[in-house]
Amino acid sequence: MARARVIYECQSCGFQSPKWLGRCPDCGQWNSLVEEAVTVDPGARGGEAGPAHAPSPIDAVTADTDRRLRSGIEEFDRVLGGGLVDGSAVLIGGDPGIGKSTLLLQAVAALSRDGSPCLYVSGEESEQQVKMRARRIALGASSLLVLSETSLERILEQVKAVKPAVLVVDSIQTVHTSAISSAPGSIGQVRECSSALISLAKKSGIGTFLVGHVTKDGAIAGPRVLEHMVDTVLYFEGERGHSFRILRAVKNRFGSTNEIGVFEMQEAGLREVPNPSQIFLSERPLDGSGSVVVPSMEGTRPILVEIQSLVTRSYLNLPRRTCIGVDTNRVALILAILEKRKGMNFYDKDVFINVAGGVSVSEPAVDLGIAAGVASSALDRPLDPHTVFVGELGLAGEIRTVTRAEARVAEAGKLGFRRCILPQGNCRQLPHVEQPELVGVVSLEECWEILF
Ligand code: TYD
Ligand code: MG
């Protein structure tokens, strides 16, 4: 017999409690517990397991993950790990208005071009609005079906009737099921609806995209479990005021994480940017001090970015350290190393560091570049604009080897850079490289002799 009961559920982490609490004991959020009615049917639990299944030797298991649907949008396919795996569930998060709906509409239209039926379910826009968007981005896709619907039961019914190869649900927060009584968008609803959609995807081999809204601090709204339930989690990001958008994989069961795809939002939809380095460097001042180019790895691909530093006299008791696109702690460490090893003083200087183009770089391999840029600005001595810098900085002022040096050097060569200053250890591994000229260094000391 079904029995109704009330529980309180944290809207930020999914913690459940039989009584209301002001603060979630699990994630520490205040006022996040909301009353939800759950129907517990004692007979239903455990009924889904099905017949027991004996374990089999791993060699006898056939794995067919090579069946991937490719959209032909290279940047998109690469982030997915080479295309969409049948029956996989992909969650895409991003700020409102960043272009999630546009991206997915373009992607499913491309996927449907070879005749496989695709279904785009929008809970936020009417079919006419979707059509208007499709017209704006000039899509021609006859086997793309659109549906404006928010009820889970009706969506599932339509999916079973249409049997699409790819399903998009935009967004998961607007979908609700009548099985539970809480409001659409609440954690219980999101969890229930996604698990129904994901299990349908697995059972019938439908590649499923779920669009998820993000909260103020940037995480996908809804329970954390949502990220564990899906196979792939992608974030679509970009700076306001910049037209570049970066699609980033943060979890991928079928490919590499930290893979990125770069797009540009234009009047008629998103356009791929196959060579992001060129664009990120296009407006670089060639003779200004404090500007430095570093090859940073984004997933499997190197991207050249310009890091700009500005060191000015400070009028504050506590000088400013403002970093956009690089880690502030890392910069503090580099400044300390420069003070100690090179005798530079920053106690009366404000230091501003910005990565051009709204990109962010988080690898230690950009340390040497940051150090060179900061020193260049502090000394007001421009660096050679045709040189790139690679290397991790140790606390003793030593330059440490980095991963994937060959890929970084090759990217710099491709864009016409003439010289690359890199760790001696990496330099020795690359005797065959002719362009750019490689200069191996073991310490800041040695690097400074070359630069200043
Ligand atoms: P949208 O895909 O609706 O964002 P999301 O689904 O993530 O909320 O994108 C909306 C923004 O993109 C909107 O501000 C207008 C802009 N845009 C263009 O610049 N060009 C286009 O062709 C389209 C369709 C949208
Ligand atoms: Mg949208």
Side-chain angles (χ1 to χ4, degrees):
M1 248 259 292
R3 166 168 65 87
R5 150 172 99 90
V6 164
I7 56 153
Y8 296 87
E9 186 155 27
C10 171
Q11 298 296 300
S12 88
C13 73
F15 174 81
Q16 294 184 340
S17 157
K19 64 181 199 312
W20 188 82
L21 299 165
R23 181 169 188 246
C24 170
D26 203 18
C27 67
Q29 276 281 336
W30 287 95
N31 276 333
S32 61
L33 267 70
V34 169
E35 178 181 332
E36 307 220 358
V38 283
T39 312
V40 184
D41 186 352
R45 293 253 165 207
E48 291 172 18
H53 180 73
S56 37
I58 192 159
D59 288 339
V61 180
T62 51
D64 211 10
T65 54
D66 276 328
R67 258 196 53 75
R68 287 178 186 264
L69 278 173
R70 292 178 155 275
S71 66
I73 304 177
E74 262 311 306
E75 299 288 302
F76 187 76
D77 291 343
R78 197 190 41 250
V79 175
L80 287 174
L84 179 66
V85 174
D86 279 354
S88 69
V90 182
L91 180 65
I92 298 193
D95 289 334
I98 205 79
K100 301 179 294 296
S101 306
T102 310
L103 175 71
L104 284 178
L105 191 61
Q106 279 182 252
V108 281
L111 283 165
S112 71
R113 218 157 273 152
D114 64 356
S116 31
C118 297
L119 178 60
Y120 180 96
V121 179
S122 180
E124 299 180 344
E125 292 163 324
S126 66
E127 281 141 28
Q128 289 76 12
Q129 283 171 310
V130 177
K131 173 68 196 177
M132 273 154 59
R133 186 197 300 271
R135 193 180 299 148
R136 180 167 176 194
I137 55 188
L139 285 183
S142 51
S143 50
L144 173 61
L145 302 168
V146 292
L147 172 70
S148 178
E149 183 60 77
T150 56
S151 150
L152 176 72
E153 287 73 23
R154 270 175 283 178
I155 293 175
L156 292 179
E157 199 177 295
Q158 291 307 323
V159 171
K160 281 172 191 149
V162 172
K163 296 197 178 61
V166 180
L167 169 70
V168 175
V169 178
D170 185 2
S171 65
I172 188 68
Q173 275 88 2
T174 55
V175 179
H176 58 87
T177 167
S178 53
I180 48 180
S181 58
S182 51
S186 72
I187 215 146
Q189 286 282 4
V190 170
R191 186 170 47 204
E192 229 17 72
C193 296
S194 9
S195 82
L197 288 164
I198 294 166
S199 70
L200 179 69
K202 298 268 174 257
K203 244 183 280 163
S204 39
I206 303 173
T208 303
F209 290 101
L210 305 176
V211 174
H213 286 294
V214 294
T215 56
K216 275 201 294 294
D217 36 309
I220 291 178
R224 259 288 131 79
V225 287
L226 192 53
E227 295 200 7
H228 300 304
M229 278 152 66
V230 296
D231 301 303
T232 303
V233 180
L234 308 178
Y235 275 89
F236 201 40
E237 335 170 304
E239 290 281 317
R240 296 220 172 274
H242 283 281
S243 58
F244 295 112
R245 302 281 183 269
I246 292 178
L247 185 67
R248 194 183 287 279
V250 292
K251 163 183 173 178
N252 195 348
R253 286 189 185 144
F254 307 112
S256 137
T257 53
N258 284 327
E259 197 64 82
I260 70 161
V262 183
F263 296 87
E264 190 180 358
M265 181 62 96
Q266 296 187 332
E267 259 318 290
L270 289 158
R271 191 183 64 89
E272 293 180 72
V273 178
N275 192 349
S277 301
Q278 207 157 24
I279 294 198
F280 292 142
L281 298 182
S282 59
E283 289 163 324
R284 184 166 62 110
L286 290 182
D287 50 1
S289 66
S291 160
V292 56
V293 175
V294 295
S296 168
M297 295 304 295
E298 290 285 353
T300 57
R301 116 203 263 208
I303 289 189
L304 293 183
V305 291
E306 181 196 357
I307 301 181
Q308 297 188 317
S309 314
L310 185 65
V311 179
T312 57
R313 169 134 185 241
S314 178
Y315 298 94
L316 304 168
N317 284 336
L318 195 65
R320 289 182 76 106
R321 306 281 183 253
T322 303
C323 305
I324 302 169
V326 289
D327 180 21
T328 313
N329 288 326
R330 198 91 211 153
V331 170
L333 198 107
I334 293 169
L335 294 181
I337 297 171
L338 287 176
E339 292 213 2
K340 183 83 178 170
R341 307 288 159 202
K342 298 310 307 164
M344 305 181 81
N345 282 325
F346 295 102
Y347 65 88
D348 57 349
K349 305 272 195 331
D350 289 336
V351 178
F352 303 90
I353 298 185
N354 179 36
V355 183
V359 212
S360 72
V361 289
S362 55
E363 294 184 285
V366 302
D367 287 357
L368 183 60
I370 296 175
V374 167
S376 153
S377 177
L379 303 168
D380 205 15
R381 301 258 303 269
L383 297 167
D384 169 27
H386 305 292
T387 299
V388 296
F389 294 83
V390 180
E392 177 180 345
L393 214 50
L395 293 187
E398 80 276 21
I399 315 281
R400 297 169 163 258
T401 51
V402 300
T403 54
R404 312 285 317 272
E406 181 151 23
R408 299 173 202 262
V409 167
E411 178 75 6
K414 213 158 63 187
L415 285 170
F417 282 85
R418 296 190 204 127
R419 188 167 66 158
C420 175
I421 297 186
L422 77 173
Q424 182 69 53
N426 288 124
C427 188
R428 272 199 295 268
Q429 300 159 356
L430 306 168
H432 48 282
V433 176
E434 287 170 9
Q435 162 79 4
E437 177 202 348
L438 300 185
V439 183
V441 288
V442 293
S443 64
L444 263 190
E445 211 55 61
E446 208 176 312
C447 181
W448 255 229
E449 267 165 39
I450 299 168
L451 295 179
F452 304 111

